Amino acid sequence: MTQDDRTRLVAAAREAMTRSHSPYSRFRVGAALLGADGRVHTGTNVENASYGLSICAERTAVFKAVSEGCRDFVAAAVVTDTDTPTPPCGACRQVLQEFAPGLVIHLAGRGDDIETFRLAELLPRPFDSFTPGEAP
Ligand code: THU
């Protein structure tokens, strides 16, 4: 993960944020995931009049990437239209954990400040003891 990768990833998340569909919360979020193959997958939050059907930017990016055959992620960026960076919600942390337990996550708001965390710091003691295919 170079400085260039970080800049590129935050810029991609910032651009994705401009496509947010958030007329209900007016809270715009953009996410970008850097795959081990160098591809970048972006996502934004997409809300619905039936509020519970809304989806976060991070999960949009993960589901898009997995659908495109990428499930090995090196880093992520999450950008919010706020003064200070905003960390991902618990549900998105758990979904990221499924594919990228070692993920590095860069957070940015409107300004230039970038805060960087490991997913393990944001989601200590994750639910990861179930292996697909195991009998319940
Ligand atoms: N949101 C995200 O996109 N990511 C998060 O991690 C937290 C919240 C979205 C969902 C909703 O559209 C809006 O932000 C307000 O909760």
Side-chain angles (χ1 to χ4, degrees):
M1 180 87 211
T2 64
Q3 192 78 357
D4 268 8
D5 285 337
R6 190 183 80 152
T7 306
R8 174 173 162 233
L9 213 52
V10 170
R14 204 177 288 289
E15 193 196 332
M17 185 182 73
T18 66
R19 296 188 283 270
S20 170
H21 176 68
S22 45
Y24 306 103
S25 72
R26 305 213 171 274
F27 193 85
R28 302 194 303 154
V29 187
L33 282 170
L34 175 63
D37 61 4
R39 280 193 291 167
V40 171
H41 300 268
T42 61
T44 192
N45 55 327
V46 182
E47 298 183 349
N48 192 272
S50 177
Y51 290 6
L53 302 183
S54 303
I55 187 159
C56 294
E58 298 88 331
R59 274 176 289 160
T60 302
V62 170
F63 298 154
K64 277 177 63 190
V66 172
S67 301
E68 297 298 324
C70 180
R71 49 174 70 191
D72 191 5
F73 306 116
V74 175
V78 180
V79 175
T80 46
D81 195 12
T82 51
D83 288 340
T84 53
T86 307
C89 77
C92 290
R93 295 177 200 200
Q94 178 66 30
V95 168
L96 289 165
Q97 169 74 29
E98 177 85 10
F99 297 103
L103 196 69
V104 170
I105 306 179
H106 303 294
L107 306 176
R110 275 190 286 265
D112 293 333
D113 283 358
I114 298 177
E115 294 177 9
T116 300
F117 297 91
R118 289 201 164 269
L119 179 58
E121 294 175 73
L122 299 179
L123 188 68
R125 302 283 291 145
F127 177 69
D128 61 358
S129 47
F130 175 80
T131 312
E134 267 183 12

